Amino acid sequence: MLSLDLPSTAFSEKIQLTSRILLIEDEELIRNMIALNLEEEGYEVIKANNGREALNILERQHLQGFGDNIDMVILDLMLPEVNGLDVCRLLRYRGNMIPILILSAKAAETDRVLGLEVGADDYLTKPFSMRELVARCRALIRRNSVNNNISESVRQFKDISLFPDECRVMVRGQEVNLSPKEFRLLELFMTYPKRVWDREQLIENIWGADFMGDTKTVDVHIRWLREKLEKDASHPEYLITVRGFGYRFG
């Protein structure tokens, strides 16, 4: 049975700024009880009852920009449509490092290890104390906030790290030398992963609206970037050609 103890104000630390938590749980009673307790602690809770709905919510908030960021995810494993492990895998594959707390009735060590290995930050088994859940959420959000303050200017995707303030790029642990245009192209791509850019949009953002040269210069710079970033430039995994539209990153 789920423990329904409400967090008392003597034990709870009210947060000063509203953090947003995406709660993915298909059992309505548990979903509503968790949401109620988190909201009483001052968190804003967005609810999803299956994996596909959760992925759509995260995709929308990514496209809408930083103003609507979700600060962490509470994720059940046994979900319809897309299960919790696959949700976790997809987020990490896409470079989304949002804190993830798995909730699951699977208490075996192998299940906990698997959840952490696919990218979760914490694992809590059912039944659980609501007070412990709130405390773990608070700790994950606090830790992520500290990490963001330390590395807020770093762009990270898989094996590529870009440091805007230092104009420096690391690929698979090795620093690579990029020209200013190559660096700005990569920074734009990494800021908006998965977005498709056509040549005209890239020209306007990198070369400027008054650029009078051939738009094919974009293709040349993409080829140069691929040679420096990809393991195999002829089969890119980062800079992808979307035929008939343009290029996307990741």
Side-chain angles (χ1 to χ4, degrees):
M1 291 292 293
L2 177 67
S3 173
L4 302 183
D5 52 313
L6 296 178
S8 78
T9 53
F11 291 93
S12 63
E13 171 191 342
K14 296 292 184 180
I15 57 174
Q16 299 302 309
L17 297 175
T18 300
S19 295
R20 306 175 82 231
I21 297 175
L22 175 60
L23 171 60
I24 314 167
E25 168 63 63
D26 63 324
E27 294 189 38
E28 185 177 7
L29 176 62
I30 297 177
R31 185 172 65 246
N32 290 339
M33 184 58 64
I34 293 174
L36 174 63
N37 279 263
L38 290 173
E39 288 167 351
E40 288 188 350
E41 289 295 312
Y43 296 99
E44 179 183 349
V45 180
I46 301 168
K47 294 182 282 188
N49 60 20
N50 64 69
R52 190 171 304 281
E53 180 186 3
L55 290 171
N56 289 338
I57 290 171
L58 288 163
E59 181 66 17
R60 285 200 301 272
Q61 73 93 28
H62 168 73
L63 294 174
Q64 288 169 356
F66 296 106
D68 295 317
N69 270 357
I70 292 170
D71 296 287
M72 74 164 290
V73 171
I74 298 175
L75 176 64
D76 185 28
L77 289 185
M78 303 300 291
L79 294 170
E81 307 257 351
V82 181
N83 69 53
L85 287 177
D86 286 339
V87 170
C88 194
R89 286 192 188 98
L90 281 168
L91 290 178
R92 296 310 188 224
Y93 176 78
R94 295 173 179 176
N96 189 330
M97 301 311 294
I98 188 170
I100 297 174
L101 167 62
I102 285 179
L103 291 181
S104 177
K106 296 183 175 182
E109 181 182 6
T110 54
D111 294 312
R112 297 197 304 271
V113 170
L114 178 59
L116 297 171
E117 284 185 343
V118 300
D121 298 275
D122 201 354
Y123 193 108
L124 185 60
T125 58
K126 300 176 182 177
F128 56 87
S129 160
M130 200 64 70
R131 186 172 297 144
E132 181 180 4
L133 172 65
V134 171
R136 289 184 184 228
C137 290
R138 186 182 300 120
L140 283 175
I141 291 174
R142 181 171 59 242
R143 185 174 68 193
N144 191 58
S145 177
V146 170
N147 290 340
N148 285 343
N149 288 336
I150 294 172
S151 60
E152 60 183 359
S153 64
V154 178
R155 305 281 190 273
Q156 180 74 44
F157 188 86
K158 294 187 180 179
D159 295 330
I160 300 178
S161 302
L162 183 144
F163 304 85
D165 294 341
E166 303 173 31
C167 296
R168 187 166 61 90
V169 173
M170 301 287 291
V171 180
R172 292 177 287 278
Q174 300 294 321
E175 187 166 349
V176 297
N177 294 318
L178 302 183
S179 71
K181 289 292 191 296
E182 291 169 353
F183 184 89
R184 292 185 60 200
L185 266 174
L186 181 59
E187 182 178 16
L188 181 66
F189 279 125
M190 293 186 71
T191 303
Y192 301 96
K194 302 298 182 182
R195 173 173 173 173
V196 177
W197 300 84
D198 62 30
R199 291 188 185 94
E200 288 73 19
Q201 290 171 323
L202 292 172
I203 288 289
E204 182 175 353
N205 279 275
I206 305 301
W207 282 265
D210 57 349
F211 177 74
M212 300 298 292
D214 191 335
T215 58
K216 290 292 186 180
T217 191
V218 170
D219 302 333
V220 173
H221 281 76
I222 293 292
R223 186 176 72 249
W224 290 343
L225 263 179
R226 281 174 173 162
E227 290 173 354
K228 296 178 181 180
L229 303 179
E230 307 284 359
K231 293 179 181 178
D232 181 356
S234 60
H235 297 89
E237 60 176 306
Y238 297 115
L239 292 169
I240 309 299
T241 299
V242 183
R243 296 195 181 281
F245 294 94
Y247 299 99
R248 66 174 172 84
F249 184 82

